[in-house]
Amino acid sequence: MATKSEIKSINHDEQSYVAFKNRSRRRATLFWHNYEGNLIRYAIIEPEGVHRMNTYVTHPWSVSDSESGDRLLVDNNFVFYPRSQGEEQGSKFERICIDLPVYPLWIRCLQVLRKTIPKDNIDSLQIPNNLKHALNYAPDIHFTDYSNFCTVSAQ
C-alpha cells in the first residue's frame, strides 16, 4: 500500500478533464492530494450529483463519506489518478464514478453501531475491550491499509 508521502501531486504538465459522478447514496467529500501529500477538500458532492474538474494527470484524488469519514471508491479505487486524454479529446470531461465499496460484514456492522451508539456510551457497554476499541476508532481518509477490502462497485 502507498503511504501518505507517496500519494501526492507531481506536476501540472498534462491537463485532464473529469466529471466526478456520485452514484452512492451518501454525501461525498472530494479531496485533492497536494504536492506535499496533504489532503485539500475540494467539493461536497450530493448523491447523484456531478462535479466537473479541470485537473492534471499526476494529481491524485480521494473521496470520503462526508458524515462518517469512510472511504468511497473513485473509479473502483480508493485513490484516483486522472488519465491522459490526448490531443484529440480536447476538453471533453471523462465521467468518473464514486461508489460505495463492498465492506466486509464486520466493518459494516461497526459503521452501523457507530451511528447508533453515542461515542460517550461506548466504554460503559458490556462488550469485549477489543470491540470497544474498534468502535472508538474514527475512520481517517489517510488510512491506507485496505488490503482485505473487496473493491467491487455496484453497477
Side-chain angles (χ1 to χ4, degrees):
M1 276 300 144
T3 65
K4 176 187 171 193
S5 62
E6 294 170 336
I7 302 173
K8 62 184 176 184
S9 293
I10 307 296
N11 58 47
H12 53 274
D13 296 339
E14 187 176 353
Q15 279 197 316
S16 184
Y17 305 92
V18 296
F20 293 101
K21 166 74 173 168
N22 184 2
R23 296 193 307 187
S24 78
R25 294 184 180 185
R26 302 179 181 193
R27 292 179 75 208
T29 302
L30 178 66
F31 293 95
W32 169 55
H33 297 258
N34 72 8
Y35 295 98
E36 290 79 40
N38 297 317
L39 294 172
I40 307 299
R41 188 175 86 171
Y42 249 76
I44 302 288
I45 308 170
E46 297 295 331
E48 298 305 319
V50 175
H51 183 75
R52 287 177 178 76
M53 178 70 59
N54 297 353
T55 187
Y56 297 92
V57 171
T58 62
H59 285 204
W61 296 87
S62 295
V63 178
S64 71
D65 179 317
S66 297
E67 182 181 328
S68 69
D70 293 321
R71 300 280 298 265
L72 299 176
L73 293 175
V74 188
D75 199 33
N76 290 323
N77 293 290
F78 288 108
V79 178
F80 167 71
Y81 289 87
R83 290 179 273 281
S84 175
Q85 296 172 326
E87 295 293 322
E88 69 282 349
Q89 187 152 0
S91 61
K92 183 179 177 189
F93 287 85
E94 179 182 11
R95 184 175 134 168
I96 303 300
C97 295
I98 297 168
D99 295 295
L100 281 173
V102 177
Y103 290 106
L105 182 58
W106 68 275
I107 295 284
R108 185 64 190 127
C109 289
L110 287 173
Q111 290 171 336
V112 171
L113 288 171
R114 278 191 205 105
K115 281 182 129 179
T116 57
I117 300 170
K119 194 165 180 79
D120 295 342
N121 294 357
I122 292 173
D123 288 331
S124 64
L125 296 174
Q126 298 296 314
I127 58 175
N129 285 334
N130 62 342
L131 185 53
K132 289 179 188 180
H133 177 74
L135 286 170
N136 279 314
Y137 164 76
D140 181 355
I141 197 163
H142 289 293
F143 180 69
T144 57
D145 184 9
Y146 284 92
S147 56
N148 294 323
F149 278 50
C150 178
T151 57
V152 177
S153 65
Q155 296 287 337

